[in-house]
Amino acid sequence: MKVKSPINHYLKHGYRLGYDPSEKFSTSRYLETYPEVKEEMINPLVHYLKKGKKMGYQIFAHITEEEKDSKWLEEKKPFLSIIVPNYNHQAFLQKRLDTIYNQNYKNYEVILLDDLSTDDSVTILREYAEKYSDRTKLILNETNSGSPFAQWKKGISEAKGDFIWIAESDDWCDLDFTEKLLPKFSDESVMLSFSRTDFMTNDTKTWTIEEYLHDIGGKKYDHSHKISAHECVKNYFSKKNIIPNVSSCIFRRPLDFPLFNDNQWNHMKVCGDWIFYLYLIRGGYIYYTTKTTNYYRQHQSNTSVGLHSKDLYYQEHQIVRKYLAKLYNIDSEGLNWMVSHLRNFWKQNRNDYSDEIFNQIFCNEEIIEEKSNRLPNLAICCYAFSTGGGEKVPIDQANALKEAGLAITFIDCSGTTRNEAIRKKLRNDIPVISIGWDFSIIKHLFKELGIEYAHTHHASVDCGIAENKPDHVKQIVTLHGMYETIPERYLKVQIPMLLKKVHQWLYIAEKNLSIMVEYGANRDMFKKVFNAVPSTPIEKTRKEIIKECGFRDDSIIAAIASRALPEKGWKSAYESIQRTRKATGKDICVIFIGDGPLYESMKKDKNEWAYFAGYSNDVTSFFNAADFVLLPSTYSGESFPLCILEAFQVGKPVIATNIGEIPNMVETTDGNAGIIIPINNNEADPESLDSAIKEYSEKNTIYKDACHCATIAAEKYSMHNLTNLLIKYYKE
């Protein structure tokens, strides 16, 4: 095996990941001090040696993990939601709440929940809610929920933070608990962090987490560490619930959490929290720290000792086994360790053991059925968190597939500088791993995470993954039109390699196939899909948009949203609107949404009828305010434009060129959701474009019918339909 030189790795890739070449040179601090180096994507050490030293730039020493943690908390100020579910814990509340409100880290809210306690708990809760009214919400149930998980659900639904701590009302913790656990989420792949636990009876330590985990190789938990969910479940979490109680962990706030609607889980008494953690961590990593402690109070009402002789105790462990088989790719050995342990446990705690009774509970046929229905562990690989349809599609699909129940890991290949606004479009509960364009780490990474399928959407990412993935990982490539723009000298090397390594090819437009067939692909290898966009709320009314743009209330408004490139047709749209205004005498206006080379130059031509919005996360509001959407593009890679789908979502017809899949996109069972413009001399035909704008400006029956057809097209190309189609192909 070829061993990489550390300095070569740093020079090519490591600096992108924030690694330091030595203790005397901090990459992150150099880039923060001199942001122009970061913007130019220059290796900071190379910059310092070649230029910075002569210019008097400073270098900074490597910072320790503790310093990094403190710096991250200070700069990012992550907002933590602390949920305190209480039922009849009057005797323990003051100690619990004091160790919450006196935490060293202060950027938090507290959600106090009472489940109709019959003791004097509510009086204490009211006192603290009044004392800390600036950060506390008190919710009192009028009827008892009958389930702690109902309280968890309520608390999470009320939470405003990206991170959740469920602090049980009878436990307590060190005052640096949140200060030690929260910084671990600076790693976007960490889904849950937890601390060591001491088991307490009458305020006396009776057991420790180290003793609790000794029978499953718990020496690993003698020190802090990060471990993938896949490895943790395979070696530890499939054998025992390694998190003794929920008070010891902080996790990313989950969205659309499937367990909350699972009636069986909501009524579990012993193992429900175990299953909760198994869901939370999928596709990502867990961090365990020994540097702070949670104190887990043991008393009769919160232990399972009384259930050891009941069938329920063993039945719930079988439910855990079913969830393990449903959610994780683990072998029989991992699933059977628990059975062997519980068989001995039954014999020690009950006097009625028989193989027949035991095997009725631990039925392997149920496990086999769950394993057969398991969906794959999927890595969705993106070029970068940057603007452009090719970068947006992987994010939208990752969000939808996560909601559909898949374990998703999002690989940010870091092909260009990150746009934080784009990053925020990805769900908070999807783990992200940024590889700094170093594809050599993919093989180890995919094995560690248990990745089974990798889905790529960008030519350079297709190649990087194909050349470096483990052989068992199946790669799916969706063609979006990029290969049509790549020079022949690259294609003749890339495509033959990909044809040998890619397991499934998907395409969105017929024109995507010609280049692949030219280099040896069989047309039968490809399956057709479509693009889709998620439903997006309208944040601004038409009236607000008109005011922002400076248009009149009765203006006829067109909109165009794309990168501001010459081939995307911005100038054609501008000139056509200018001609049509003159020809019709109507107040036809246009909104340009996007950034790029033409944005700066065109916005200098100040006209009251043209508004340049720049890049916007809220395209939906602009399109909703418009009467129709323009895309007079001649871009050779144009296949299945997302902006057309965004227009359909708000019921607006389009005027677009005859390129890619656009003619098929506008066709519906009731007619066309747009007008197709021919391309002449490498531009949208001016006469046809003018005519189409005039037609829709009349707001006549043709326009109204096109609006109706746009709503039909929106349903046809819904994210729900695309998700089902992708899952079908994954299963195949």
Side-chain angles (χ1 to χ4, degrees):
M1 179 179 174
K2 186 177 180 181
V3 179
K4 277 193 172 184
S5 159
I7 190 62
N8 284 341
H9 179 269
Y10 172 78
L11 291 173
K12 290 182 179 180
H13 309 293
Y15 78 95
R16 294 173 183 256
L17 298 167
Y19 296 164
D20 294 335
S22 79
E23 291 184 358
K24 295 181 180 180
F25 189 95
S26 169
T27 295
S28 60
R29 293 178 71 184
Y30 191 85
L31 292 175
E32 286 165 8
T33 306
Y34 309 112
E36 71 276 11
V37 181
K38 184 175 183 179
E39 289 171 8
E40 295 173 25
M41 296 189 74
I42 301 171
N43 183 294
L45 180 60
V46 172
H47 180 274
Y48 175 74
L49 294 174
K50 286 188 173 182
K51 298 180 182 179
K53 190 174 183 180
K54 296 176 184 176
M55 297 166 67
Y57 283 17
Q58 288 181 285
I59 59 173
F60 307 90
H62 168 82
I63 60 175
T64 65
E65 183 180 350
E66 288 75 16
E67 288 173 325
K68 283 182 180 178
D69 287 353
S70 178
K71 190 170 186 290
W72 186 79
L73 283 178
E74 184 181 342
E75 290 180 355
K76 299 298 183 181
K77 295 181 174 58
F79 191 57
L80 174 67
S81 293
I82 305 172
I83 298 165
V84 186
N86 175 72
Y87 179 68
N88 283 351
H89 281 161
Q90 171 191 348
F92 314 125
L93 270 175
Q94 184 172 350
K95 189 168 190 175
R96 165 78 283 178
L97 295 177
D98 283 346
T99 61
I100 289 174
Y101 286 105
N102 291 313
Q103 283 289 304
N104 296 343
Y105 183 70
K106 301 298 184 184
N107 193 29
Y108 61 80
E109 64 173 351
V110 180
I111 302 168
L112 301 175
L113 304 170
D114 188 78
D115 206 10
L116 201 66
S117 293
T118 56
D119 63 6
D120 204 28
S121 290
V122 171
T123 300
I124 298 171
L125 293 173
R126 288 190 193 279
E127 288 175 4
Y128 278 84
E130 290 173 10
K131 183 177 180 180
Y132 300 99
S133 58
D134 61 323
R135 61 183 61 192
T136 306
K137 186 172 187 177
L138 175 62
I139 302 174
L140 307 176
N141 281 357
E142 295 181 359
T143 57
N144 182 268
S145 69
S147 166
F149 304 128
Q151 294 291 82
W152 292 12
K153 177 181 179 180
K154 179 178 286 188
I156 291 172
S157 69
E158 294 284 342
K160 297 176 182 176
D162 285 334
F163 306 100
I164 303 290
W165 174 26
I166 298 176
E168 297 282 18
S169 55
D170 52 343
D171 302 325
W172 74 98
C173 63
D174 290 341
L175 298 183
D176 63 356
F177 180 82
T178 57
E179 186 180 44
K180 297 298 185 186
L181 264 65
L182 271 174
K184 305 312 168 188
F185 295 102
S186 63
D187 181 337
E188 295 175 303
S189 68
V190 171
M191 305 310 290
L192 177 150
S193 64
F194 73 110
S195 75
R196 65 177 307 281
T197 289
D198 285 341
F199 297 74
M200 311 297 291
T201 302
N202 297 325
D203 292 352
T204 301
K205 180 166 67 175
T206 55
W207 214 24
T208 67
I209 191 171
E210 293 83 3
E211 294 169 302
Y212 169 67
L213 296 176
H214 82 280
D215 58 340
I216 59 167
K219 286 187 178 180
K220 187 174 183 68
Y221 291 87
D222 291 345
H223 59 271
S224 301
H225 63 272
K226 171 185 163 184
I227 186 171
S228 72
H230 173 72
E231 293 288 339
C232 187
V233 169
K234 183 172 71 172
N235 296 309
Y236 307 106
F237 235 147
S238 59
K239 300 173 182 179
K240 180 179 282 190
N241 183 357
I242 63 171
I243 303 175
N245 82 320
V246 73
S247 295
S248 68
C249 71
I250 294 175
F251 52 88
R252 294 185 187 273
R253 179 164 55 93
L255 304 175
D256 312 309
F257 203 56
L259 283 180
F260 288 153
N261 299 314
D262 184 326
N263 188 57
Q264 181 185 54
W265 175 78
N266 272 286
H267 290 88
M268 291 179 74
K269 304 295 184 184
V270 181
C271 300
D273 58 338
W274 190 350
I275 296 169
F276 183 77
Y277 308 135
L278 292 175
Y279 263 101
L280 285 175
I281 63 177
R282 292 172 77 205
Y285 287 84
I286 307 165
Y287 195 96
Y288 172 73
T289 182
T290 60
K291 295 179 179 178
T292 190
T293 299
N294 164 65
Y295 301 96
Y296 178 22
R297 192 184 297 276
Q298 302 282 283
H299 48 86
Q300 192 61 37
S301 63
N302 76 341
T303 64
S304 59
V305 174
L307 296 171
H308 289 175
S309 61
K310 307 292 184 183
D311 285 355
L312 175 68
Y313 182 83
Y314 303 90
Q315 289 165 349
E316 289 204 7
H317 280 81
Q318 173 66 354
I319 294 171
V320 171
R321 291 181 73 227
K322 289 167 68 175
Y323 273 102
L324 284 165
K326 175 182 178 181
L327 301 178
Y328 288 89
N329 183 23
I330 57 175
D331 56 26
S332 298
E333 182 181 350
L335 290 168
N336 290 337
W337 188 96
M338 188 196 305
V339 176
S340 176
H341 172 76
L342 288 169
R343 180 180 280 108
N344 294 330
F345 195 78
W346 185 312
K347 291 176 181 179
Q348 293 168 7
N349 288 276
R350 297 175 60 160
N351 57 10
D352 61 344
Y353 177 83
S354 74
D355 285 343
E356 181 181 358
I357 295 172
F358 187 83
N359 291 334
Q360 281 178 356
I361 292 176
F362 293 99
C363 173
N364 278 327
E365 285 74 17
E366 293 177 346
I367 305 303
I368 293 169
E369 181 180 355
E370 293 292 350
K371 284 178 75 73
S372 69
N373 293 324
R374 186 181 64 83
L375 294 171
N377 297 333
L378 177 65
I380 292 188
C381 308
C382 182
Y383 173 73
F385 286 113
S386 58
T387 57
E391 287 65 56
K392 187 174 184 296
V393 166
I395 294 173
D396 291 342
Q397 290 185 7
N399 289 339
L401 289 163
K402 173 74 174 181
E403 186 178 354
L406 277 77
I408 302 295
T409 305
F410 197 87
I411 307 297
D412 165 25
C413 296
S414 317
T416 188
T417 304
R418 175 179 287 202
N419 182 321
E420 289 298 336
I422 301 295
R423 168 63 182 92
K424 289 177 182 177
K425 289 181 177 292
L426 187 72
R427 288 170 56 133
N428 177 60
D429 57 354
I430 293 178
V432 175
I433 300 173
S434 297
I435 66 169
W437 206 248
D438 180 8
F439 290 97
S440 68
I441 69 174
I442 286 294
K443 188 170 187 176
H444 169 75
L445 190 65
F446 280 8
K447 285 182 177 179
E448 188 172 73
L449 289 161
I451 298 298
E452 295 164 280
Y453 293 0
H455 197 153
T456 58
H457 296 262
H458 186 284
S460 55
V461 176
D462 299 343
C463 295
I465 297 297
E467 291 175 322
N468 293 280
K469 69 179 181 62
D471 291 338
H472 74 274
V473 173
K474 297 176 180 176
Q475 184 174 354
I476 302 99
V477 169
T478 299
L479 301 174
H480 293 274
M482 189 173 185
Y483 286 93
E484 292 97 294
T485 69
I486 296 175
E488 181 183 358
R489 65 182 183 276
Y490 297 116
L491 291 177
K492 65 184 182 183
V493 176
Q494 292 174 341
I495 294 179
M497 180 275 292
L498 289 168
L499 291 175
K500 292 178 183 177
K501 293 180 175 287
V502 172
H503 294 75
Q504 179 67 73
W505 291 90
L506 308 177
Y507 70 101
I508 58 176
E510 292 296 326
K511 76 182 191 69
N512 303 149
L513 300 185
S514 57
I515 196 75
M516 307 303 291
V517 172
E518 182 181 336
Y519 285 91
N522 186 325
R523 191 180 178 88
D524 295 338
M525 298 167 58
F526 300 87
K527 295 183 178 179
K528 194 168 188 179
V529 291
F530 52 87
N531 277 342
V533 292
S535 298
T536 307
I538 297 168
E539 296 180 8
K540 296 179 183 177
T541 64
R542 176 182 166 92
K543 189 172 183 179
E544 288 172 324
I545 294 293
I546 286 173
K547 183 178 180 180
E548 177 183 335
C549 298
F551 300 157
R552 298 194 331 228
D553 288 346
D554 61 349
S555 295
I556 297 161
I557 302 173
I560 179 170
S562 72
R563 285 172 290 176
L565 304 174
E567 57 268 37
K568 286 289 186 174
W570 278 38
K571 284 191 174 180
S572 292
Y574 184 92
E575 291 166 0
S576 184
I577 294 291
Q578 193 172 40
R579 291 192 300 268
T580 310
R581 283 174 59 86
K582 187 175 181 179
T584 63
K586 293 182 178 179
D587 184 31
I588 306 172
C589 302
V590 60
I591 304 170
F592 292 91
I593 309 147
D595 54 16
L598 289 179
Y599 170 69
E600 295 296 337
S601 61
M602 288 182 65
K603 74 175 184 178
K604 292 176 183 176
D605 297 331
K606 295 181 179 178
N607 282 301
E608 73 281 357
W609 49 266
Y611 179 72
F612 292 89
Y615 174 78
S616 174
N617 271 325
D618 189 21
V619 173
T620 303
S621 292
F622 284 109
F623 279 7
N624 181 64
D627 296 293
F628 52 89
V629 169
L630 300 172
L631 186 63
S633 174
T634 58
Y635 175 56
S636 60
E638 206 77 76
S639 291
F640 211 106
L642 299 183
C643 63
I644 290 181
L645 300 176
E646 289 169 326
F648 291 163
Q649 273 205 345
V650 290
K652 299 302 164 70
V654 299
I655 297 172
T657 38
N658 184 5
I659 192 170
E661 202 67 13
I662 295 174
N664 292 328
M665 292 175 72
V666 302
E667 287 185 5
T668 76
T669 52
D670 286 11
N672 287 344
I675 298 173
I676 301 300
I677 306 301
I679 296 175
N680 290 324
N681 300 319
N682 203 33
E683 69 169 345
D685 181 67
E687 187 176 334
S688 301
L689 185 57
D690 293 359
S691 175
I693 293 173
K694 288 176 187 176
E695 185 73 67
Y696 280 172
S697 297
E698 295 293 335
K699 301 286 190 75
N700 54 19
T701 303
I702 293 174
Y703 170 77
K704 291 175 182 177
D705 288 346
C707 291
H708 165 72
C709 291
T711 62
I712 297 174
E715 175 57 31
K716 179 181 178 182
Y717 299 119
S718 70
M719 186 59 74
H720 173 76
N721 289 342
L722 175 60
T723 302
N724 288 339
L725 185 60
L726 290 174
I727 291 174
K728 174 189 171 185
Y729 289 153
Y730 295 154
K731 286 181 176 179
E732 290 176 359

